[in-house]
Structures are given as C-alpha cells and as structure tokens.
Amino acid sequence: MKIEAFLLFSIIFLLAILVSLSIANARFFKKNEHKYNVLLSEYRQRGLDIDLVTNVASYFGALALYQKIIWFVRLHKGVRMKYTKERYVQPEAYHFVQSLPQDKIGWILTLHRRLIIQFAIVTLWFLILAAIWIFLK
C-alpha cells in the first residue's frame, strides 16, 4: 500500500508543479509578448517564409506558446525545413533569425527550454499515472 500512496502523492505533486509551470511560462511570454510581436512583424515585413501553424498561433495570445516559438527556434538552430513539398525555407529566413541580437532571440530560447522541461514533467506524470493504473488493476 505504501507504493500506491507514494505514487498518488507524486501525481498530485507533479500536477501542482505543472500548473505552476504553465502559469509561469504564460506570464513569461506575456512579459515578452511585445518583443515577439515586433519580431514577427519584422519577419513578415521582409517577406520571409513562415509556416501556417505559427501564423495562426500568433492570434492566440499566451495560448499555444510552443507553436508560436518553435518556428523561430528551429530557424535559429539551423534545422532544415520544407516550406512546401517542392521547396525548403529560404536561406534568408535562417540568416535573419540567426543574426538577431541575444536580447531579441534569447528569451525565446529560454522559453523553449522551459517548455521542454514542462513537457518532460508531463511525460513523467503520465508514466506515474500508468504505474498507478497497473498497480490498481
């Protein structure tokens, strides 16, 4: 019975951490939302390729944080992406994002790391939930 109690405590504790992280990440984005809007506007004004998900997610405020930033993170890391079935994203898009000063892109990279940590905790939460389900079966 002790293992089940530990697992139940763990799942409640992790849920509290996840809620806290979600709120903290949303507040972190809201604090930097002006920088994001300026970056997105400047990026669009240059006529650079942008994916549909990032385009749509930009209208959701602090929701869909990961979808908003992953395009810029991947461009910054130099991940080769297709814009259409026939062509890859313009090299100019990579150059633009990679040449941004740290104060314009650094917060996005920090938010990305925080969201990866949050995802890892969600995965752990589901694993513990599965363990509880197996033990109670």
Side-chain angles (χ1 to χ4, degrees):
M1 190 65 170
K2 287 189 176 199
I3 189 82
E4 291 93 358
F6 173 74
L7 291 175
L8 284 172
F9 172 77
S10 297
I11 204 158
I12 292 169
F13 179 71
L14 286 175
L15 186 61
I17 288 175
L18 284 172
V19 168
S20 300
L21 277 175
S22 295
I23 292 169
N25 288 338
R27 291 187 69 170
F28 183 76
F29 178 80
K30 287 302 266 182
K31 182 178 140 188
N32 293 291
E33 189 171 20
H34 177 70
K35 291 180 187 178
Y36 177 79
N37 291 333
V38 168
L39 172 63
L40 191 60
S41 174
E42 191 175 333
Y43 187 86
R44 286 178 176 154
Q45 284 175 355
R46 292 174 181 254
L48 300 172
D49 295 334
I50 191 163
D51 70 328
L52 179 63
V53 175
T54 305
N55 235 351
V56 172
S58 66
Y59 299 106
F60 284 101
L63 299 174
L65 293 179
Y66 188 79
Q67 290 77 14
K68 284 181 172 200
I69 66 167
I70 194 59
W71 180 257
F72 295 108
V73 171
R74 294 184 80 186
L75 288 173
H76 186 267
K77 290 183 176 183
V79 176
R80 193 162 185 217
M81 300 179 287
K82 284 207 169 191
Y83 183 65
T84 64
K85 288 184 178 183
E86 297 83 32
R87 108 174 149 78
Y88 286 94
V89 174
Q90 307 155 313
E92 295 84 11
Y94 291 97
H95 178 65
F96 172 75
V97 174
Q98 290 170 352
S99 65
L100 288 171
Q102 188 62 23
D103 64 321
K104 286 189 176 185
I105 194 72
W107 74 271
I108 291 176
L109 301 174
T110 300
L111 180 58
H112 181 252
R113 281 189 297 275
R114 290 171 70 160
L115 290 172
I116 294 295
I117 291 168
Q118 184 176 338
F119 177 74
I121 294 172
V122 166
T123 303
L124 179 61
W125 188 80
F126 276 114
L127 289 173
I128 293 173
L129 193 61
I132 290 173
W133 185 72
I134 290 169
F135 273 117
L136 295 179
K137 198 169 187 188

